Amino acid sequence: MIEAHKLSKFYSRGLYALRDLSLSVGKGEFVFLTGPSGAGKSTLLRLLLRQERPSEGDLIVNGHNLSTLSRRDVQEYRRGIGFVFQDFKLIASRTVLENVTFVLEVLGVPPAQQRRRAFQVLKWVGLQHRVNAYPRDLSGGEQQRIAIARALANDPLLLLADEPTGNLDPDLSLEIMNLLREVNAGGTTVLVATHDRELIRLVGRRTITLDQGRIVEEA
Amino acid sequence: MRAIDYAIREAWASLWRSRGASAFAVVAIALAVTVLGALLLLTSNVERLFAQWSSAAEFSVYLRDDATSEHRGAIEALVDRSGVAAGREYVSKAQALSRFRRDFTELDGLTQGLDDNPFPASVEVRVLGEAERDGRADALVQRVARLPGVADVRYDREWLGRLAAGLGAVRSVGLTLVLIMALAAGVTVAAVVRLGLYARRDEIEVMRLVGSPMAFIRGPFVAEGMMQGGLGALLALGLLWVGFVALGAWWGGQLSLLLDGATLRFLPLRLAAWLVAGGMLVGAAGGFAASRHAA
Ligand SMILES: Nc1ncnc2c1ncn2[C@@H]1O[C@H](COP(=O)(O)OP(=O)(O)OP(=O)(O)O)[C@@H](O)[C@H]1O
Ligand SMILES: [Mg+2]
C-alpha cells in the first residue's frame, strides 16, 4: 500500500523534517507512527495526503508516485484516502448529517445515495441519533467520531490520522482507537500518528518510531 | 450537472450572507451596463433616424434660365440611366415661385413687387438609399453639374456626414468608458466574491482534502459573480426603461416635433438579453478570478 524509498523532506536546505526514510506498509495493516515532537510524523502524513511533495526519494501509494502526480491526479488520489485530524475539521455551519453528506455531494454522489451512505457510517460510529445536531453541541469524542464517519463515507483504501486523540481524555482516546481498529478490521489500511505511548501499548500494533526525521525503532 | 446545482445553491447562500457587499457589486455592474445601455439606446435610435433621413435624400439640379429643353432632356436621361434615382420631378420657374409663396406666406409681399420670377427651374431627384451610402449619388451629382444648362446642383449631405462622425466619436468615447467601467465592475465583483472565500474556508479545506473536483471548488464563486452580474444588468435595464419612459413623458412632444414624426424606440429584446449576458459574463470573470484563491 505504502512504499517509501530514501524519502526526504526539507523546508530549507540542510534542515530535514524527514531524512532518507524507507518503509513499507502492506494492504490492510494498522500502523502507529510515534516519536517526540518535531520528529516528522505530521510531515509524513502531509506527504501521504499529497499536501506537500517529497523533496527527495520516492513515495509510492497504491501505485501512485506522489512526486509526479498532476493536479488532477491529486484529486483522484485523495478520493481514495480518508483523513482524521486532531482538530476534527468539521464544518461548524452544517449539521452532523450534512458534514458527512457534504463530502459525498462535492464528490458528485447522487443525493439519495448521499443520505443512505451518511446514515450508514453515522450509525456505524454510533451517532445516528445526533444527525441533526451541530458540531458545537457535541463532545470532543463525538466530534472525532463524526470526522471518522466522514472519512469512511467514501470507502477509503487508506485512513490517515494525525493525533486523532490529541484533544481527548484517555477513556475517549481508547474508544476512538477501538473504532479505528474496527475500520481496519473492515480492510482499510490505517496509519495513526500519536505520541501517546500508553495508548499504543494498549492497542498493541506495529509501531514505527521517528526521531529527527529518521526511523529509530520498529516494533 | 451536480456541480452546477451545487454551485448555484452555494452561490445563493453566499450572496445572501454578504448581501450588503453583494449589493455594492451589483450596483457597480449596473452602472457599467447602464452607461453601455444608454449608449446603445442613443446610437441605435440616431442610426435608425439617420437611415430614415438618408433614404429621404434628394438633390436639386437648378437650371439656367437659358437652358433648352434638350439640355433638360440630357440631364433627365443621365439621371434615369444612372440607377441612382428613385424618382425625379421637374419644377418649372412658375411652380418654384408658387411653392415659395405657399411655404412662406409671410414673405409674400417680397415677391409681389417683382416683375421677373427670380426662381430657377429645377429637376429634383430622389436618391436611392444605397446609392447615397456607397457614393454613387455623389458621382452622379458631379457629372450632372458639368452638363450644359446646369446652373448649380445642391446636394446637402454634409450635415449627415457630420452627424455620422459625431456619432462615431460618441460611440468610441462611450465604449472606452464602458470598458473601463466593466473592468472596475469585474474587479469589484472579484473583491466581493472573495469575501465569501473567508466564510467558506473550512468547507473549501475539506473539499480539497477529499479530492473534490475543481468544478465544485471554484463553481460557487463563478456562479456568485454571475448572479451579481445578472442582477446588476437587470437593474440597469430597469433604470434605462424608467429613464426612457420619463424622457418620453417630459419631452415627448418636443422630441417628436424635432424628429419629424419619427419615434424613439427602447432597446430591442435581443440586445437587452445580450446586455444581461454581458453583465453575467463580467460577473463570472470576476468570480472566476476570485476563485483562484480557493484552488
Ligand atoms: N512548513 C514548515 N516549514 C518549515 N519547517 C517545518 C514546516 N513544517 C514542519 N517543519 C519542521 O519539520 C519538523 C517536523 O515537523 P512535524 O510537524 O512533522 O513534527 P511532528 O512529529 O508532527 O511533531 P508533533 O508531535 O509536535 O506534532 C519540525 O522540525 C518542524 O519544525
Ligand atoms: Mg504533528
Side-chain angles (χ1 to χ4, degrees), chain B residues 239 241-257 264:
Chain B
L239 287 175
W241 173 248
V242 168
F244 182 78
V245 170
L247 190 78
W250 286 329
W251 292 309
Q254 289 95 309
L255 270 178
S256 73
L257 214 68
L264 294 180

Side-chain angles (χ1 to χ4, degrees), chain A residues 4-203:
Chain A
H5 183 68
K6 287 187 169 296
L7 177 67
S8 294
K9 178 71 190 177
F10 47 80
Y11 294 96
S12 52
R13 284 257 157 222
L15 280 173
Y16 285 86
L18 290 177
R19 185 156 205 171
D20 287 337
L21 199 86
S22 293
L23 67 87
S24 173
V25 175
K27 200 168 161 59
E29 266 196 273
F30 188 116
V31 179
F32 278 117
L33 215 51
T34 189
S37 184
K41 306 181 290 292
S42 296
T43 301
L44 180 57
L45 291 184
R46 279 200 302 275
L47 290 177
L48 286 168
L49 199 46
R50 226 332 299 271
Q51 287 177 290
E52 288 170 1
R53 278 175 197 271
S55 304
E56 288 164 356
D58 294 320
L59 183 57
I60 317 272
V61 182
N62 199 25
H64 296 279
N65 184 341
L66 299 197
S67 304
T68 58
L69 283 189
S70 73
R71 237 176 123 92
R72 229 193 178 75
D73 291 340
V74 169
Q75 292 165 18
E76 181 65 40
Y77 167 73
R78 284 183 182 163
R79 283 170 215 160
I81 315 273
F83 58 85
V84 176
F85 292 99
Q86 180 172 358
D87 61 358
F88 319 134
K89 293 200 192 299
L90 297 176
I91 299 162
S93 60
R94 294 184 187 261
T95 64
V96 167
L97 181 67
E98 287 166 352
N99 262 279
V100 181
T101 55
F102 172 71
V103 299
L104 294 167
E105 176 173 28
V106 299
L107 291 175
V109 174
Q113 228 165 300
Q114 288 169 25
R115 288 178 64 85
R116 193 159 5 101
R117 180 64 181 158
F119 275 113
Q120 205 174 17
V121 289
L122 284 168
K123 188 169 177 201
W124 201 78
V125 299
L127 281 170
Q128 70 274 31
H129 57 293
R130 302 304 308 268
V131 287
N132 292 318
Y134 284 88
R136 64 172 172 276
D137 303 328
L138 303 177
S139 73
E142 286 170 327
Q143 290 190 46
Q144 196 58 298
R145 274 148 68 190
I146 293 162
I148 291 169
R150 179 180 65 186
L152 296 178
N154 200 36
D155 241 333
L157 294 163
L158 173 63
L159 183 72
L160 304 174
D162 194 358
E163 310 278 1
T165 59
N167 282 339
L168 307 177
D169 62 42
D171 284 352
L172 279 177
S173 296
L174 193 59
E175 192 181 294
I176 292 295
M177 279 305 160
N178 284 332
L179 198 54
L180 291 177
R181 268 205 320 210
E182 277 183 57
V183 171
N184 177 243
T188 304
T189 309
V190 178
L191 198 62
V192 181
T194 180
H195 49 234
D196 190 338
R197 295 217 152 254
E198 177 62 14
L199 198 62
I200 293 172
R201 197 187 56 74
L202 283 171
V203 177

Side-chain angles (χ1 to χ4, degrees), chain B residues 162-241:
Chain B
R162 277 201 299 274
L163 185 63
L167 197 62
V170 167
R171 201 188 325 230
S172 49
V173 169
L175 284 181
T176 310
L177 185 66
V178 167
L179 225 61
I180 293 169
M181 290 180 79
L183 199 70
V187 170
T188 308
V189 168
V192 171
V193 169
R194 241 186 107 168
L195 296 175
L197 206 73
Y198 182 76
R200 297 185 56 231
R201 66 195 184 286
D202 291 348
E203 284 182 15
I204 290 164
E205 185 186 7
V206 169
M207 287 168 91
R208 295 179 50 175
L209 288 174
V210 299
S212 180
M214 266 305 143
F216 278 94
I217 297 177
R218 298 183 76 160
F221 298 99
V222 176
E224 189 180 349
M226 205 184 260
M227 284 175 188
Q228 290 174 357
L231 287 175
L234 288 175
L235 178 65
L237 284 177
L239 287 175
L240 285 168
W241 173 248

Side-chain angles (χ1 to χ4, degrees), chain B residues 101-187:
Chain B
R101 283 184 171 151
R102 188 191 66 215
D103 290 352
F104 301 97
T105 24
E106 64 275 27
L107 297 178
D108 205 20
L110 214 73
T111 52
Q112 288 301 341
L114 296 170
D115 311 330
D116 244 7
N117 177 355
F119 292 95
S122 63
V123 178
E124 289 182 348
V125 180
R126 269 181 294 115
V127 175
L128 289 169
E130 65 266 27
E132 198 275 323
R133 281 188 288 278
D134 66 16
R136 275 186 296 145
D138 285 311
L140 177 63
V141 164
Q142 275 167 29
R143 285 179 64 195
V144 170
R146 287 195 297 269
L147 289 179
V150 174
D152 189 18
V153 182
R154 283 256 307 280
Y155 183 45
D156 200 2
R157 303 273 84 188
E158 259 174 47
W159 68 275
L160 275 181
R162 277 201 299 274
L163 185 63
L167 197 62
V170 167
R171 201 188 325 230
S172 49
V173 169
L175 284 181
T176 310
L177 185 66
V178 167
L179 225 61
I180 293 169
M181 290 180 79
L183 199 70
V187 170

